[in-house]
Amino acid sequence: MAAPSTTACGKGSRPRVVVVLRVLCVLVLGTSFVCQTTLQENIDSLWNYLRHQRLYQTVYFETWFVVFVYSIIALVPEAMAKVSYLSQYRIEGTSDKPRPSIPELLLEGTLYMLPFAALDTVMVKRFPGVSEDVLQLKRQDWVQRTRALPEHAPTLGQMIWQIIAALVIYDAMFYVIHYSVHRNAFLYKTIHAHHHDHPGGLHGRVTNRLTLAERLALVLSANGSLRLVSAHPLSRTAYIIVFVGLLIENHAGFDLPWSYDKIIPFGLMGGAARHHAHHVYGARHYQPFFTYIDNYMEQSKRQ
């Protein structure tokens, strides 16, 4: 059975758009390499500013920042739904559900933050570049208030490597979890079915339509992947923006010609249309971002 697709309008110009965007990406990467000294100075200045800010020092920063980033990026597909030109890229079977009310948004954010804020309060956050002596002093307090941050910023190369590596690791970890809950009827019904329950059609707000168990699995997997690559706090901050953006795009309901899965070659990335097909049919496309495990498993079934 074929996956849902966008309307035919505008598809002829897609290859040209993709080529232009790929060239621009190459130019950006080349410019970044040539200007890496200047970029590093800016990264150092940014880090020197952030690490002295009380909001950034607090143990609750990442929990709060996820909600803040989600609240901003979730507005993008809602705005896109109001642009008639973009309707040609709307995936069949998706919707432009009205934005929740302010009380509903506050409740959603509060329910998300409470369990993670509780963990933040009692856990000592360990980052590379922070001495063991400082961490030992932190462990003497039952209640944590601030994070022990490293003095030096990461290099540009370290940030790029840590973000990409963490995404790859998270993608593989969540594939196992996602596949498991789909293959077990009890786990699916109690943990994951709520995420697939959107009778009006898929839309950006479905991103956070999760049970507590699934939300914990998602966030702890993301955090675990960052810990495995010893990500710097600044890399973690950038990762949150990329991570939340990719999740919302997967659920937004638009198969855009300039989306990440078109720009990155060789079909390495899944994208919104592929994830929508998962929501419709369920029995395939378990990876949230990449495709290599799903493709391998499908090829193995055919042999």
Side-chain angles (χ1 to χ4, degrees):
M1 189 177 291
S5 62
T6 55
T7 59
C9 180
K11 287 186 177 180
S13 63
R14 288 189 179 190
R16 188 183 309 167
V17 172
V18 170
V19 170
V20 170
L21 290 173
R22 286 177 178 173
V23 170
L24 287 175
C25 288
V26 171
L27 289 175
V28 169
L29 289 173
T31 304
S32 299
F33 179 78
V34 172
C35 303
Q36 58 183 308
T37 301
T38 301
L39 289 173
Q40 188 60 50
E41 290 174 354
N42 289 322
I43 291 172
D44 294 341
S45 298
L46 175 62
W47 177 245
N48 189 53
Y49 171 78
L50 287 176
R51 72 187 185 93
H52 290 103
Q53 301 305 306
R54 287 189 177 183
L55 178 61
Y56 198 80
Q57 291 173 347
T58 178
V59 293
Y60 307 111
F61 173 77
E62 288 184 353
T63 297
W64 167 85
F65 191 61
V66 168
V67 175
F68 174 76
V69 171
Y70 172 81
S71 301
I72 299 300
I73 299 180
L75 297 175
V76 175
E78 294 175 5
M80 290 169 58
K82 301 181 185 300
V83 180
S84 58
Y85 172 77
L86 296 177
S87 62
Q88 63 186 304
Y89 303 119
R90 166 78 73 179
I91 300 173
E92 295 176 10
T94 60
S95 71
D96 52 347
K97 181 181 178 182
R99 186 187 313 165
S101 65
I102 297 299
E104 289 174 331
L105 289 173
L106 290 174
L107 178 62
E108 182 180 3
T110 301
L111 291 177
Y112 170 87
M113 289 190 291
L114 279 177
F116 298 111
L119 291 174
D120 292 335
T121 303
V122 298
M123 292 180 62
V124 176
K125 298 181 182 295
R126 184 188 187 104
F127 300 121
V130 178
S131 70
E132 190 62 32
D133 292 339
V134 173
L135 295 175
Q136 287 291 352
L137 289 174
K138 286 284 185 185
R139 294 188 184 102
Q140 293 177 11
D141 296 326
W142 286 90
V143 176
Q144 301 298 313
R145 297 178 180 84
T146 59
R147 305 185 290 171
L149 300 173
E151 179 180 356
H152 301 292
T155 65
L156 176 61
Q158 286 174 335
M159 287 189 66
I160 294 172
W161 144 253
Q162 290 168 359
I163 292 170
I164 294 176
L167 284 173
V168 172
I169 294 171
Y170 165 81
D171 188 82
M173 292 172 66
F174 199 75
Y175 171 88
V176 175
I177 298 171
H178 198 187
Y179 180 83
S180 299
V181 297
H182 269 276
R183 303 301 293 179
N184 184 287
F186 173 77
L187 292 177
Y188 180 81
K189 182 178 180 180
T190 56
I191 295 177
H192 192 52
H194 180 62
H195 184 62
H196 283 261
D197 182 21
H198 40 82
L202 191 66
H203 53 85
R205 298 283 175 179
V206 174
T207 307
N208 194 41
R209 189 178 178 83
L210 306 169
T211 60
L212 177 60
E214 187 169 20
R215 184 174 290 119
L216 285 169
L218 187 152
V219 174
L220 294 179
S221 296
N223 189 64
S225 67
L226 288 165
R227 288 179 62 86
L228 284 173
V229 299
S230 299
H232 189 280
L234 188 58
S235 300
R236 295 173 64 99
T237 301
Y239 176 89
I240 288 172
I241 299 173
V242 175
F243 180 74
V244 173
L246 291 175
L247 288 178
I248 291 177
E249 180 171 352
N250 277 354
H251 297 87
F254 288 91
D255 186 21
L256 300 170
W258 54 82
S259 59
Y260 71 94
D261 58 297
K262 312 295 190 310
I263 297 172
I264 298 175
F266 311 121
L268 291 175
M269 310 297 288
R274 189 178 176 102
H275 194 72
H276 180 257
H278 167 73
H279 272 258
V280 173
Y281 306 121
R284 54 181 174 168
H285 305 332
Y286 298 108
Q287 284 181 271
F289 305 136
F290 297 92
T291 61
Y292 64 96
I293 301 177
D294 282 319
N295 291 342
Y296 174 78
M297 295 300 289
E298 289 181 11
Q299 290 174 4
S300 298
K301 289 179 182 179
R302 297 192 192 105
Q303 293 177 356

